[in-house]
Structures are given as C-alpha cells and as structure tokens.
C-alpha cells in the first residue's frame, strides 16, 4: 500500500487509521501479512505506528521439526521529508511524500527475524553421529577419537 503523506506534513493534528493485508513471496511467511495502525501528525511530528501479523512456517535449524508460529512485529517510525543531522533508524526519509508501506513492513519483519528459527530455546538438536533426536532420548553416542590422534597413539605403542 502506498500512503500519500503530503496532508500529514501540511496539517498539524491529523490522524488516519489503516488496516490492510498484502501477500509476500517470502518462502517462510505462509500467510498474508496483516497490517494495522495509523499515521499521524502530532504537533508537527509525522509518525507511523502499526503492527504486522503473519505466520511463519519453517523447520527448526537444530532438529528439523516443523515450526508454525504466528508473529507480531511492531512498525514504528518517525517520518521526515528531508534529511536532518540525526543518524537514527527510527527516522525514515520519505521521498516525494509517499511511503511504500509494504516495503517498510518487510524491512522491519526481516530485522526482527532471528538468525535461525528453533522449535524451542533449549532444543538439543540431532545427534551428529546417528541422527537421533536428542530431545526425545539420549542415544549414548560417544565422540569418535580423532584418527590422527589414534595414529599417534599407535606409533607410540609400537615403540615400546
Ligand atoms: Zn528443534
Ligand atoms: Zn547418536
């Protein structure tokens, strides 16, 4: 959705609510992204405050279990029509006084994503040796001895 912002920059004390949804091509977002909030000018300061709600479907990075989660991401920014001296991500410079809200929402969604999704904070993952799901039970696999170390041990015992 494109929001035309001229009237928000030209009028103090104006507020408009919005609520809509858009589809995304993102591979792990499995629902439309539903966005609701408002744009306002309050005492000369233009801002957007909204939240994006959507469902993520992916697999645990550790144990590969399916994960399906409903997430809510806040989208809150001050909007300015020209650069100022502040170096701050909270400020969005809107060129041509129009805002592509879908793009802004997707940026905030990606910033909110963890580097990897896990099924639970303390997921134990899979055993690297037998593939057993360590959340289900222990498999008793021992870390194999490094073959170089084994060769060295062999050499040492040959000398005796
Ligand atoms: Zn897991
Ligand atoms: Zn194992």
């Amino acid at each position: 959705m494109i929001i035309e912002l001229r009237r928000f920059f030209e009028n103090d004390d104006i507020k408009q609510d919005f609520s809509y949804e858009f589809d995304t091509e993102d591979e792990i977002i499995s629902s439309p992204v539903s966005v609701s909030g408002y744009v306002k000018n309050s005492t000369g300061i233009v801002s957007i405050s909204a939240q994006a709600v959507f469902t993520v479907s992916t697999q645990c990075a550790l144990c590969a279990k399916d994960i399906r989660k409903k997430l809510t991401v806040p989208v809150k920014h001050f909007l300015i029509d020209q650069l100022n001296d502040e170096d701050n991500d909270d400020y969005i410079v809107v060129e041509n006084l129009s805002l592509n809200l879908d793009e802004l929402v997707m940026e905030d969604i990606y910033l909110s994503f963890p580097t990897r999704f896990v099924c639970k904070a303390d997921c134990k993952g899979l055993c690297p040796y037998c593939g057993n799901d360590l959340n289900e039970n222990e498999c008793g696999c021992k870390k194999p001895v490094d073959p170089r170390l084994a060769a060295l041990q062999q050499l040492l015992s040959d000398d005796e």
Side-chain angles (χ1 to χ4, degrees):
M1 185 170 79
I2 305 292
I3 301 183
E4 298 302 334
L5 292 167
R6 179 170 301 280
R7 60 202 182 92
F8 293 98
F9 280 97
E10 288 177 350
N11 300 286
D12 274 0
D13 299 316
I14 171 173
K15 180 178 170 195
Q16 191 196 334
D17 293 325
F18 58 82
S19 178
Y20 79 110
E21 56 180 44
F22 65 92
D23 291 317
T24 162
E25 300 289 301
D26 187 90
E27 26 180 61
I28 73 164
I29 297 176
S30 60
S31 71
V33 178
S34 162
V35 188
S36 61
Y38 58 83
V39 179
K40 71 172 182 183
N41 179 333
S42 177
T43 60
I45 296 173
V46 180
S47 62
I48 182 166
S49 177
Q51 59 178 18
V53 181
F54 54 95
T55 302
V56 156
S57 298
T58 184
Q59 291 183 321
C60 174
L62 298 173
C63 75
K65 214 172 272 157
D66 285 333
I67 302 174
R68 197 176 156 79
K69 266 186 202 171
K70 196 172 183 185
L71 298 181
T72 300
V73 171
V75 180
K76 287 180 194 288
H77 302 276
F78 294 109
L79 305 175
I80 52 178
D81 56 358
Q82 56 193 27
L83 273 174
N84 62 12
D85 295 335
E86 309 247 7
D87 183 16
N88 188 326
D89 287 344
D90 288 341
Y91 288 86
I92 302 288
V93 181
V94 282
E95 290 163 18
N96 311 321
L97 295 183
S98 90
L99 176 68
N100 185 326
L101 190 53
D102 301 5
E103 275 179 15
L104 181 62
V105 167
M106 288 310 295
E107 278 173 31
D108 285 345
I109 286 177
Y110 287 131
L111 286 174
S112 78
F113 275 1
T115 44
R116 60 184 187 183
F117 282 96
V118 291
C119 62
K120 54 185 179 181
D122 61 347
C123 174
K124 297 195 184 92
L126 302 179
C127 170
Y129 307 111
C130 73
N132 170 57
D133 185 344
L134 296 172
N135 298 301
E136 307 284 326
N137 51 50
E138 292 289 328
C139 53
C141 290
K142 294 267 190 310
K143 194 173 188 243
V145 178
D146 185 322
R148 287 163 301 177
L149 209 61
L152 190 65
Q153 276 166 349
Q154 187 69 41
L155 274 179
L156 290 173
S157 59
D158 283 353
D159 283 348
E160 280 171 12

